[in-house]
Amino acid sequence: MGSQPPYKFVIVDDDASMLKLMCALLEDRGHDVVLSHSGMSAGLDIPDLRPDCVITDRVMFGVDGFEMVRDLREDSELQHVKYIMVSGAVDRTIQSKIEDADFDAFFNKPIDPATFADEIERVMQRE
C-alpha cells in the first residue's frame, strides 16, 4: 500500500467475478471494501456506509449506475464521495453521458489487474 491511506470503497456490480476481482485488488492494498450486487440495494446502504468512493458498473438490473449515483449525489452527507464507473462496450453516446454525470473517473472492462489498484488510488488522491 505504500503511503496511501486506507480508503473505504463500495463496489457495485451484478457480475460476481468482477466484484471479487476488484475487491481482491483493493483489499490487497489494505483498503476496506464492501460489495453489492445491485444498484438499488447499494443506493440504500451507501448513506450508512459512508464510503470514500463508490465504484459502479453502468448496466445493472433495476437501478443502473447512472441512476444510483445521481440519487447519491443529492445527499449532502455524501458530497465528499468519489464516483467511478467501470463498464464495457461504451460508445460516444454513453461516454458523453458518463461525462455529463460528472463521474470522477471511468475505466473500461475488462480491467487490467496489474494497474487497477494504482489507477484507483490516483483518482483518490485528486482534489
Side-chain angles (χ1 to χ4, degrees), residues 68-115:
M68 179 190 70
V69 169
R70 184 183 62 241
D71 291 346
L72 291 171
R73 284 194 183 278
E74 293 178 4
D75 187 332
S76 62
E77 298 290 318
L78 300 175
Q79 295 304 305
H80 71 284
V81 176
K82 292 195 183 284
Y83 296 96
I84 299 172
M85 182 166 280
V86 179
S87 189
V90 175
D91 61 19
R92 282 182 177 214
T93 303
I94 298 299
Q95 185 65 40
S96 177
K97 191 172 178 183
I98 291 167
E99 291 167 7
D100 290 345
D102 200 27
F103 279 87
D104 294 280
F106 170 77
F107 296 96
N108 278 308
K109 286 183 183 178
I111 62 167
D112 181 349
T115 62

mmCIF file of all heavy atoms in Angstrom, residues 68-115:
data_model
loop_
_atom_site.group_PDB
_atom_site.id
_atom_site.type_symbol
_atom_site.label_atom_id
_atom_site.label_comp_id
_atom_site.label_asym_id
_atom_site.label_seq_id
_atom_site.Cartn_x
_atom_site.Cartn_y
_atom_site.Cartn_z
ATOM 1 N N MET A 68 -28.248 5.404 -9.775
ATOM 2 C CA MET A 68 -27.802 5.264 -8.393
ATOM 3 C C MET A 68 -26.933 6.458 -7.987
ATOM 4 O O MET A 68 -27.159 7.074 -6.943
ATOM 5 C CB MET A 68 -27.014 3.961 -8.215
ATOM 6 C CG MET A 68 -26.505 3.755 -6.804
ATOM 7 S SD MET A 68 -25.357 2.375 -6.668
ATOM 8 C CE MET A 68 -23.925 3.034 -7.537
ATOM 9 N N VAL A 69 -25.969 6.820 -8.828
ATOM 10 C CA VAL A 69 -25.062 7.919 -8.496
ATOM 11 C C VAL A 69 -25.797 9.254 -8.489
ATOM 12 O O VAL A 69 -25.554 10.102 -7.611
ATOM 13 C CB VAL A 69 -23.843 7.923 -9.444
ATOM 14 C CG1 VAL A 69 -23.037 9.205 -9.297
ATOM 15 C CG2 VAL A 69 -22.975 6.707 -9.160
ATOM 16 N N ARG A 70 -26.702 9.449 -9.416
ATOM 17 C CA ARG A 70 -27.489 10.694 -9.425
ATOM 18 C C ARG A 70 -28.225 10.858 -8.099
ATOM 19 O O ARG A 70 -28.213 11.941 -7.501
ATOM 20 C CB ARG A 70 -28.469 10.688 -10.601
ATOM 21 C CG ARG A 70 -29.236 12.007 -10.718
ATOM 22 C CD ARG A 70 -30.258 11.998 -11.833
ATOM 23 N NE ARG A 70 -31.271 10.991 -11.589
ATOM 24 C CZ ARG A 70 -31.514 9.942 -12.393
ATOM 25 N NH1 ARG A 70 -30.842 9.775 -13.505
ATOM 26 N NH2 ARG A 70 -32.445 9.065 -12.092
ATOM 27 N N ASP A 71 -28.840 9.793 -7.623
ATOM 28 C CA ASP A 71 -29.566 9.857 -6.350
ATOM 29 C C ASP A 71 -28.614 10.101 -5.175
ATOM 30 O O ASP A 71 -28.928 10.885 -4.270
ATOM 31 C CB ASP A 71 -30.361 8.569 -6.119
ATOM 32 C CG ASP A 71 -31.521 8.424 -7.086
ATOM 33 O OD1 ASP A 71 -31.889 9.415 -7.765
ATOM 34 O OD2 ASP A 71 -32.057 7.300 -7.190
ATOM 35 N N LEU A 72 -27.454 9.450 -5.177
ATOM 36 C CA LEU A 72 -26.499 9.613 -4.075
ATOM 37 C C LEU A 72 -25.932 11.022 -4.029
ATOM 38 O O LEU A 72 -25.688 11.566 -2.953
ATOM 39 C CB LEU A 72 -25.366 8.594 -4.203
ATOM 40 C CG LEU A 72 -25.760 7.136 -3.965
ATOM 41 C CD1 LEU A 72 -24.611 6.216 -4.339
ATOM 42 C CD2 LEU A 72 -26.191 6.909 -2.523
ATOM 43 N N ARG A 73 -25.726 11.624 -5.177
ATOM 44 C CA ARG A 73 -25.168 12.987 -5.229
ATOM 45 C C ARG A 73 -26.116 14.015 -4.599
ATOM 46 O O ARG A 73 -25.682 15.094 -4.217
ATOM 47 C CB ARG A 73 -24.855 13.383 -6.660
ATOM 48 C CG ARG A 73 -23.587 12.732 -7.194
ATOM 49 C CD ARG A 73 -23.150 13.411 -8.468
ATOM 50 N NE ARG A 73 -21.984 12.792 -9.048
ATOM 51 C CZ ARG A 73 -20.733 13.034 -8.673
ATOM 52 N NH1 ARG A 73 -20.505 13.860 -7.684
ATOM 53 N NH2 ARG A 73 -19.722 12.441 -9.271
ATOM 54 N N GLU A 74 -27.389 13.690 -4.465
ATOM 55 C CA GLU A 74 -28.358 14.594 -3.844
ATOM 56 C C GLU A 74 -28.236 14.617 -2.325
ATOM 57 O O GLU A 74 -28.786 15.504 -1.676
ATOM 58 C CB GLU A 74 -29.776 14.211 -4.263
ATOM 59 C CG GLU A 74 -30.039 14.440 -5.740
ATOM 60 C CD GLU A 74 -31.427 14.008 -6.163
ATOM 61 O OE1 GLU A 74 -32.232 13.585 -5.305
ATOM 62 O OE2 GLU A 74 -31.704 14.085 -7.371
ATOM 63 N N ASP A 75 -27.512 13.649 -1.753
ATOM 64 C CA ASP A 75 -27.350 13.547 -0.304
ATOM 65 C C ASP A 75 -26.181 14.430 0.139
ATOM 66 O O ASP A 75 -25.027 14.172 -0.215
ATOM 67 C CB ASP A 75 -27.093 12.088 0.072
ATOM 68 C CG ASP A 75 -27.073 11.855 1.566
ATOM 69 O OD1 ASP A 75 -26.727 12.785 2.332
ATOM 70 O OD2 ASP A 75 -27.385 10.727 1.987
ATOM 71 N N SER A 76 -26.458 15.456 0.913
ATOM 72 C CA SER A 76 -25.413 16.396 1.337
ATOM 73 C C SER A 76 -24.332 15.725 2.185
ATOM 74 O O SER A 76 -23.207 16.211 2.255
ATOM 75 C CB SER A 76 -26.025 17.571 2.094
ATOM 76 O OG SER A 76 -26.659 17.115 3.270
ATOM 77 N N GLU A 77 -24.658 14.626 2.824
ATOM 78 C CA GLU A 77 -23.690 13.895 3.639
ATOM 79 C C GLU A 77 -22.681 13.118 2.791
ATOM 80 O O GLU A 77 -21.693 12.606 3.317
ATOM 81 C CB GLU A 77 -24.418 12.916 4.574
ATOM 82 C CG GLU A 77 -25.345 13.581 5.565
ATOM 83 C CD GLU A 77 -24.579 14.347 6.628
ATOM 84 O OE1 GLU A 77 -23.566 13.847 7.123
ATOM 85 O OE2 GLU A 77 -25.004 15.477 6.951
ATOM 86 N N LEU A 78 -22.930 13.019 1.487
ATOM 87 C CA LEU A 78 -22.068 12.222 0.604
ATOM 88 C C LEU A 78 -21.313 13.076 -0.407
ATOM 89 O O LEU A 78 -20.820 12.565 -1.412
ATOM 90 C CB LEU A 78 -22.914 11.167 -0.131
ATOM 91 C CG LEU A 78 -23.653 10.170 0.759
ATOM 92 C CD1 LEU A 78 -24.543 9.267 -0.071
ATOM 93 C CD2 LEU A 78 -22.667 9.355 1.586
ATOM 94 N N GLN A 79 -21.192 14.356 -0.136
ATOM 95 C CA GLN A 79 -20.529 15.254 -1.088
ATOM 96 C C GLN A 79 -19.039 14.954 -1.246
ATOM 97 O O GLN A 79 -18.449 15.282 -2.266
ATOM 98 C CB GLN A 79 -20.728 16.715 -0.668
ATOM 99 C CG GLN A 79 -22.185 17.154 -0.716
ATOM 100 C CD GLN A 79 -22.807 16.946 -2.089
ATOM 101 O OE1 GLN A 79 -22.296 17.434 -3.084
ATOM 102 N NE2 GLN A 79 -23.900 16.208 -2.137
ATOM 103 N N HIS A 80 -18.433 14.328 -0.260
ATOM 104 C CA HIS A 80 -17.006 14.003 -0.315
ATOM 105 C C HIS A 80 -16.714 12.754 -1.149
ATOM 106 O O HIS A 80 -15.563 12.496 -1.504
ATOM 107 C CB HIS A 80 -16.488 13.766 1.112
ATOM 108 C CG HIS A 80 -17.011 12.488 1.701
ATOM 109 N ND1 HIS A 80 -18.308 12.369 2.164
ATOM 110 C CD2 HIS A 80 -16.435 11.282 1.866
ATOM 111 C CE1 HIS A 80 -18.498 11.135 2.600
ATOM 112 N NE2 HIS A 80 -17.386 10.459 2.434
ATOM 113 N N VAL A 81 -17.721 11.977 -1.448
ATOM 114 C CA VAL A 81 -17.538 10.674 -2.102
ATOM 115 C C VAL A 81 -17.107 10.850 -3.555
ATOM 116 O O VAL A 81 -17.645 11.678 -4.279
ATOM 117 C CB VAL A 81 -18.843 9.841 -2.034
ATOM 118 C CG1 VAL A 81 -18.703 8.523 -2.782
ATOM 119 C CG2 VAL A 81 -19.238 9.597 -0.579
ATOM 120 N N LYS A 82 -16.132 10.023 -3.966
ATOM 121 C CA LYS A 82 -15.735 9.967 -5.372
ATOM 122 C C LYS A 82 -16.528 8.841 -6.025
ATOM 123 O O LYS A 82 -16.801 7.817 -5.399
ATOM 124 C CB LYS A 82 -14.243 9.728 -5.503
ATOM 125 C CG LYS A 82 -13.429 10.916 -5.017
ATOM 126 C CD LYS A 82 -12.000 10.817 -5.469
ATOM 127 C CE LYS A 82 -11.169 11.955 -4.942
ATOM 128 N NZ LYS A 82 -11.369 13.209 -5.613
ATOM 129 N N TYR A 83 -16.899 9.052 -7.296
ATOM 130 C CA TYR A 83 -17.687 8.065 -8.038
ATOM 131 C C TYR A 83 -16.918 7.658 -9.283
ATOM 132 O O TYR A 83 -16.505 8.518 -10.076
ATOM 133 C CB TYR A 83 -19.050 8.643 -8.410
ATOM 134 C CG TYR A 83 -19.893 8.954 -7.200
ATOM 135 C CD1 TYR A 83 -19.925 10.241 -6.667
ATOM 136 C CD2 TYR A 83 -20.620 7.964 -6.566
ATOM 137 C CE1 TYR A 83 -20.690 10.525 -5.538
ATOM 138 C CE2 TYR A 83 -21.383 8.241 -5.429
ATOM 139 C CZ TYR A 83 -21.401 9.519 -4.932
ATOM 140 O OH TYR A 83 -22.139 9.795 -3.804
ATOM 141 N N ILE A 84 -16.737 6.351 -9.426
ATOM 142 C CA ILE A 84 -16.001 5.791 -10.553
ATOM 143 C C ILE A 84 -16.892 4.794 -11.262
ATOM 144 O O ILE A 84 -17.489 3.923 -10.621
ATOM 145 C CB ILE A 84 -14.711 5.100 -10.073
ATOM 146 C CG1 ILE A 84 -13.793 6.113 -9.390
ATOM 147 C CG2 ILE A 84 -14.004 4.404 -11.234
ATOM 148 C CD1 ILE A 84 -12.577 5.510 -8.719
ATOM 149 N N MET A 85 -16.967 4.907 -12.586
ATOM 150 C CA MET A 85 -17.733 3.946 -13.370
ATOM 151 C C MET A 85 -16.771 2.984 -14.064
ATOM 152 O O MET A 85 -15.760 3.407 -14.611
ATOM 153 C CB MET A 85 -18.615 4.635 -14.402
ATOM 154 C CG MET A 85 -19.450 3.641 -15.203
ATOM 155 S SD MET A 85 -20.774 4.418 -16.139
ATOM 156 C CE MET A 85 -21.999 4.630 -14.846
ATOM 157 N N VAL A 86 -17.115 1.705 -14.014
ATOM 158 C CA VAL A 86 -16.369 0.656 -14.696
ATOM 159 C C VAL A 86 -17.368 -0.072 -15.580
ATOM 160 O O VAL A 86 -18.348 -0.627 -15.086
ATOM 161 C CB VAL A 86 -15.726 -0.318 -13.693
ATOM 162 C CG1 VAL A 86 -14.971 -1.416 -14.410
ATOM 163 C CG2 VAL A 86 -14.811 0.416 -12.731
ATOM 164 N N SER A 87 -17.140 -0.029 -16.889
ATOM 165 C CA SER A 87 -18.122 -0.617 -17.803
ATOM 166 C C SER A 87 -17.465 -1.010 -19.112
ATOM 167 O O SER A 87 -16.408 -0.490 -19.473
ATOM 168 C CB SER A 87 -19.248 0.377 -18.073
ATOM 169 O OG SER A 87 -20.295 -0.241 -18.783
ATOM 170 N N GLY A 88 -18.105 -1.902 -19.806
ATOM 171 C CA GLY A 88 -17.629 -2.313 -21.120
ATOM 172 C C GLY A 88 -18.538 -1.770 -22.205
ATOM 173 O O GLY A 88 -19.589 -1.195 -21.930
ATOM 174 N N ALA A 89 -18.112 -1.916 -23.427
ATOM 175 C CA ALA A 89 -18.906 -1.548 -24.605
ATOM 176 C C ALA A 89 -19.480 -0.136 -24.508
ATOM 177 O O ALA A 89 -20.685 0.065 -24.481
ATOM 178 C CB ALA A 89 -20.026 -2.554 -24.830
ATOM 179 N N VAL A 90 -18.592 0.833 -24.461
ATOM 180 C CA VAL A 90 -19.018 2.223 -24.336
ATOM 181 C C VAL A 90 -18.828 2.941 -25.669
ATOM 182 O O VAL A 90 -17.731 3.014 -26.193
ATOM 183 C CB VAL A 90 -18.210 2.945 -23.228
ATOM 184 C CG1 VAL A 90 -18.564 4.410 -23.177
ATOM 185 C CG2 VAL A 90 -18.467 2.284 -21.886
ATOM 186 N N ASP A 91 -19.937 3.457 -26.204
ATOM 187 C CA ASP A 91 -19.860 4.234 -27.449
ATOM 188 C C ASP A 91 -19.831 5.726 -27.107
ATOM 189 O O ASP A 91 -19.823 6.111 -25.942
ATOM 190 C CB ASP A 91 -21.019 3.879 -28.382
ATOM 191 C CG ASP A 91 -22.383 4.179 -27.779
ATOM 192 O OD1 ASP A 91 -22.474 4.969 -26.807
ATOM 193 O OD2 ASP A 91 -23.383 3.638 -28.276
ATOM 194 N N ARG A 92 -19.837 6.576 -28.134
ATOM 195 C CA ARG A 92 -19.754 8.023 -27.895
ATOM 196 C C ARG A 92 -20.926 8.551 -27.076
ATOM 197 O O ARG A 92 -20.757 9.444 -26.243
ATOM 198 C CB ARG A 92 -19.715 8.770 -29.229
ATOM 199 C CG ARG A 92 -18.382 8.730 -29.877
ATOM 200 C CD ARG A 92 -18.416 9.534 -31.148
ATOM 201 N NE ARG A 92 -17.097 9.547 -31.736
ATOM 202 C CZ ARG A 92 -16.601 10.553 -32.404
ATOM 203 N NH1 ARG A 92 -17.324 11.636 -32.607
ATOM 204 N NH2 ARG A 92 -15.390 10.486 -32.890
ATOM 205 N N THR A 93 -22.106 8.036 -27.302
ATOM 206 C CA THR A 93 -23.286 8.483 -26.562
ATOM 207 C C THR A 93 -23.135 8.171 -25.073
ATOM 208 O O THR A 93 -23.402 9.023 -24.224
ATOM 209 C CB THR A 93 -24.560 7.809 -27.113
ATOM 210 O OG1 THR A 93 -24.657 8.109 -28.497
ATOM 211 C CG2 THR A 93 -25.790 8.267 -26.375
ATOM 212 N N ILE A 94 -22.706 6.951 -24.778
ATOM 213 C CA ILE A 94 -22.525 6.556 -23.377
ATOM 214 C C ILE A 94 -21.377 7.344 -22.757
ATOM 215 O O ILE A 94 -21.473 7.806 -21.616
ATOM 216 C CB ILE A 94 -22.284 5.036 -23.257
ATOM 217 C CG1 ILE A 94 -23.499 4.256 -23.767
ATOM 218 C CG2 ILE A 94 -21.942 4.653 -21.823
ATOM 219 C CD1 ILE A 94 -24.785 4.529 -23.006
ATOM 220 N N GLN A 95 -20.278 7.539 -23.494
ATOM 221 C CA GLN A 95 -19.146 8.314 -22.982
ATOM 222 C C GLN A 95 -19.590 9.736 -22.629
ATOM 223 O O GLN A 95 -19.224 10.275 -21.589
ATOM 224 C CB GLN A 95 -18.004 8.351 -24.001
ATOM 225 C CG GLN A 95 -16.752 9.032 -23.484
ATOM 226 C CD GLN A 95 -16.101 8.309 -22.327
ATOM 227 O OE1 GLN A 95 -16.038 7.083 -22.313
ATOM 228 N NE2 GLN A 95 -15.637 9.050 -21.351
ATOM 229 N N SER A 96 -20.416 10.324 -23.472
ATOM 230 C CA SER A 96 -20.935 11.667 -23.208
ATOM 231 C C SER A 96 -21.809 11.667 -21.956
ATOM 232 O O SER A 96 -21.740 12.586 -21.130
ATOM 233 C CB SER A 96 -21.730 12.162 -24.415
ATOM 234 O OG SER A 96 -22.286 13.411 -24.146
ATOM 235 N N LYS A 97 -22.612 10.635 -21.797
ATOM 236 C CA LYS A 97 -23.479 10.524 -20.623
ATOM 237 C C LYS A 97 -22.640 10.388 -19.346
ATOM 238 O O LYS A 97 -22.975 10.979 -18.312
ATOM 239 C CB LYS A 97 -24.419 9.329 -20.791
ATOM 240 C CG LYS A 97 -25.527 9.269 -19.786
ATOM 241 C CD LYS A 97 -26.515 8.168 -20.129
ATOM 242 C CE LYS A 97 -27.604 8.075 -19.085
ATOM 243 N NZ LYS A 97 -28.548 6.998 -19.325
ATOM 244 N N ILE A 98 -21.534 9.649 -19.431
ATOM 245 C CA ILE A 98 -20.636 9.492 -18.285
ATOM 246 C C ILE A 98 -20.041 10.849 -17.910
ATOM 247 O O ILE A 98 -19.993 11.222 -16.731
ATOM 248 C CB ILE A 98 -19.530 8.460 -18.595
ATOM 249 C CG1 ILE A 98 -20.137 7.055 -18.705
ATOM 250 C CG2 ILE A 98 -18.433 8.487 -17.529
ATOM 251 C CD1 ILE A 98 -19.208 6.029 -19.312
ATOM 252 N N GLU A 99 -19.594 11.594 -18.916
ATOM 253 C CA GLU A 99 -19.018 12.916 -18.659
ATOM 254 C C GLU A 99 -20.062 13.864 -18.072
ATOM 255 O O GLU A 99 -19.772 14.616 -17.142
ATOM 256 C CB GLU A 99 -18.427 13.487 -19.944
ATOM 257 C CG GLU A 99 -17.189 12.737 -20.400
ATOM 258 C CD GLU A 99 -16.763 13.072 -21.821
ATOM 259 O OE1 GLU A 99 -17.347 14.000 -22.424
ATOM 260 O OE2 GLU A 99 -15.850 12.398 -22.321
ATOM 261 N N ASP A 100 -21.285 13.829 -18.593
ATOM 262 C CA ASP A 100 -22.351 14.691 -18.087
ATOM 263 C C ASP A 100 -22.724 14.353 -16.642
ATOM 264 O O ASP A 100 -23.141 15.222 -15.885
ATOM 265 C CB ASP A 100 -23.598 14.595 -18.964
ATOM 266 C CG ASP A 100 -23.400 15.226 -20.340
ATOM 267 O OD1 ASP A 100 -22.425 15.984 -20.519
ATOM 268 O OD2 ASP A 100 -24.222 14.939 -21.230
ATOM 269 N N ALA A 101 -22.581 13.085 -16.278
ATOM 270 C CA ALA A 101 -22.927 12.646 -14.925
ATOM 271 C C ALA A 101 -21.822 12.996 -13.921
ATOM 272 O O ALA A 101 -21.983 12.770 -12.725
ATOM 273 C CB ALA A 101 -23.190 11.140 -14.915
ATOM 274 N N ASP A 102 -20.720 13.543 -14.405
ATOM 275 C CA ASP A 102 -19.647 14.028 -13.552
ATOM 276 C C ASP A 102 -19.018 12.947 -12.681
ATOM 277 O O ASP A 102 -18.759 13.145 -11.496
ATOM 278 C CB ASP A 102 -20.148 15.196 -12.700
ATOM 279 C CG ASP A 102 -19.009 16.043 -12.166
ATOM 280 O OD1 ASP A 102 -17.947 16.087 -12.808
ATOM 281 O OD2 ASP A 102 -19.184 16.654 -11.091
ATOM 282 N N PHE A 103 -18.750 11.783 -13.285
ATOM 283 C CA PHE A 103 -18.003 10.750 -12.576
ATOM 284 C C PHE A 103 -16.567 11.227 -12.419
ATOM 285 O O PHE A 103 -16.042 11.954 -13.255
ATOM 286 C CB PHE A 103 -18.037 9.427 -13.355
ATOM 287 C CG PHE A 103 -19.297 8.653 -13.143
ATOM 288 C CD1 PHE A 103 -20.413 8.895 -13.928
ATOM 289 C CD2 PHE A 103 -19.386 7.693 -12.154
ATOM 290 C CE1 PHE A 103 -21.590 8.194 -13.730
ATOM 291 C CE2 PHE A 103 -20.552 6.985 -11.946
ATOM 292 C CZ PHE A 103 -21.660 7.238 -12.736
ATOM 293 N N ASP A 104 -15.916 10.821 -11.349
ATOM 294 C CA ASP A 104 -14.533 11.207 -11.112
ATOM 295 C C ASP A 104 -13.569 10.454 -12.024
ATOM 296 O O ASP A 104 -12.465 10.933 -12.287
ATOM 297 C CB ASP A 104 -14.164 10.968 -9.644
ATOM 298 C CG ASP A 104 -14.953 11.902 -8.742
ATOM 299 O OD1 ASP A 104 -14.559 13.071 -8.631
ATOM 300 O OD2 ASP A 104 -15.976 11.471 -8.180
ATOM 301 N N ALA A 105 -13.997 9.287 -12.502
ATOM 302 C CA ALA A 105 -13.169 8.514 -13.428
ATOM 303 C C ALA A 105 -14.028 7.450 -14.094
ATOM 304 O O ALA A 105 -15.107 7.095 -13.608
ATOM 305 C CB ALA A 105 -11.998 7.859 -12.697
ATOM 306 N N PHE A 106 -13.504 6.951 -15.203
ATOM 307 C CA PHE A 106 -14.151 5.865 -15.933
ATOM 308 C C PHE A 106 -13.076 4.872 -16.343
ATOM 309 O O PHE A 106 -12.009 5.265 -16.813
ATOM 310 C CB PHE A 106 -14.869 6.382 -17.185
ATOM 311 C CG PHE A 106 -15.326 5.278 -18.082
ATOM 312 C CD1 PHE A 106 -16.457 4.541 -17.771
ATOM 313 C CD2 PHE A 106 -14.592 4.934 -19.214
ATOM 314 C CE1 PHE A 106 -16.868 3.500 -18.572
ATOM 315 C CE2 PHE A 106 -14.997 3.894 -20.024
ATOM 316 C CZ PHE A 106 -16.142 3.167 -19.702
ATOM 317 N N PHE A 107 -13.367 3.578 -16.172
ATOM 318 C CA PHE A 107 -12.467 2.514 -16.600
ATOM 319 C C PHE A 107 -13.248 1.519 -17.439
ATOM 320 O O PHE A 107 -14.366 1.126 -17.081
ATOM 321 C CB PHE A 107 -11.856 1.795 -15.395
ATOM 322 C CG PHE A 107 -10.985 2.688 -14.562
ATOM 323 C CD1 PHE A 107 -11.489 3.312 -13.437
ATOM 324 C CD2 PHE A 107 -9.668 2.933 -14.916
ATOM 325 C CE1 PHE A 107 -10.704 4.151 -12.665
ATOM 326 C CE2 PHE A 107 -8.879 3.774 -14.161
ATOM 327 C CZ PHE A 107 -9.390 4.380 -13.027
ATOM 328 N N ASN A 108 -12.638 1.121 -18.556
ATOM 329 C CA ASN A 108 -13.242 0.109 -19.415
ATOM 330 C C ASN A 108 -13.057 -1.284 -18.833
ATOM 331 O O ASN A 108 -12.024 -1.563 -18.224
ATOM 332 C CB ASN A 108 -12.592 0.130 -20.811
ATOM 333 C CG ASN A 108 -13.164 1.194 -21.696
ATOM 334 O OD1 ASN A 108 -14.369 1.287 -21.865
ATOM 335 N ND2 ASN A 108 -12.301 2.004 -22.270
ATOM 336 N N LYS A 109 -14.054 -2.123 -19.038
ATOM 337 C CA LYS A 109 -13.918 -3.547 -18.757
ATOM 338 C C LYS A 109 -13.423 -4.202 -20.040
ATOM 339 O O LYS A 109 -13.831 -3.787 -21.117
ATOM 340 C CB LYS A 109 -15.267 -4.162 -18.376
ATOM 341 C CG LYS A 109 -15.750 -3.808 -17.005
ATOM 342 C CD LYS A 109 -17.053 -4.535 -16.737
ATOM 343 C CE LYS A 109 -17.645 -4.187 -15.406
ATOM 344 N NZ LYS A 109 -18.924 -4.866 -15.170
ATOM 345 N N PRO A 110 -12.602 -5.191 -19.945
ATOM 346 C CA PRO A 110 -12.077 -5.752 -18.700
ATOM 347 C C PRO A 110 -11.002 -4.852 -18.105
ATOM 348 O O PRO A 110 -10.266 -4.202 -18.828
ATOM 349 C CB PRO A 110 -11.482 -7.087 -19.140
ATOM 350 C CG PRO A 110 -11.111 -6.899 -20.568
ATOM 351 C CD PRO A 110 -12.110 -5.922 -21.129
ATOM 352 N N ILE A 111 -10.967 -4.820 -16.777
ATOM 353 C CA ILE A 111 -9.940 -4.027 -16.101
ATOM 354 C C ILE A 111 -8.604 -4.751 -16.210
ATOM 355 O O ILE A 111 -8.555 -5.961 -16.427
ATOM 356 C CB ILE A 111 -10.297 -3.767 -14.620
ATOM 357 C CG1 ILE A 111 -10.390 -5.083 -13.848
ATOM 358 C CG2 ILE A 111 -11.553 -2.935 -14.499
ATOM 359 C CD1 ILE A 111 -10.427 -4.918 -12.345
ATOM 360 N N ASP A 112 -7.528 -4.005 -16.044
ATOM 361 C CA ASP A 112 -6.187 -4.587 -16.044
ATOM 362 C C ASP A 112 -5.786 -4.818 -14.585
ATOM 363 O O ASP A 112 -5.521 -3.848 -13.856
ATOM 364 C CB ASP A 112 -5.206 -3.636 -16.726
ATOM 365 C CG ASP A 112 -3.795 -4.194 -16.787
ATOM 366 O OD1 ASP A 112 -3.504 -5.223 -16.138
ATOM 367 O OD2 ASP A 112 -2.963 -3.576 -17.485
ATOM 368 N N PRO A 113 -5.732 -6.069 -14.131
ATOM 369 C CA PRO A 113 -5.401 -6.338 -12.731
ATOM 370 C C PRO A 113 -4.035 -5.801 -12.311
ATOM 371 O O PRO A 113 -3.824 -5.483 -11.150
ATOM 372 C CB PRO A 113 -5.424 -7.866 -12.633
ATOM 373 C CG PRO A 113 -6.291 -8.304 -13.769
ATOM 374 C CD PRO A 113 -6.063 -7.300 -14.867
ATOM 375 N N ALA A 114 -3.119 -5.654 -13.263
ATOM 376 C CA ALA A 114 -1.777 -5.174 -12.936
ATOM 377 C C ALA A 114 -1.761 -3.688 -12.590
ATOM 378 O O ALA A 114 -0.870 -3.224 -11.876
ATOM 379 C CB ALA A 114 -0.822 -5.451 -14.097
ATOM 380 N N THR A 115 -2.735 -2.921 -13.086
ATOM 381 C CA THR A 115 -2.718 -1.471 -12.874
ATOM 382 C C THR A 115 -3.953 -0.925 -12.163
ATOM 383 O O THR A 115 -3.967 0.247 -11.778
ATOM 384 C CB THR A 115 -2.586 -0.745 -14.228
ATOM 385 O OG1 THR A 115 -3.728 -1.059 -15.040
ATOM 386 C CG2 THR A 115 -1.306 -1.137 -14.948
#
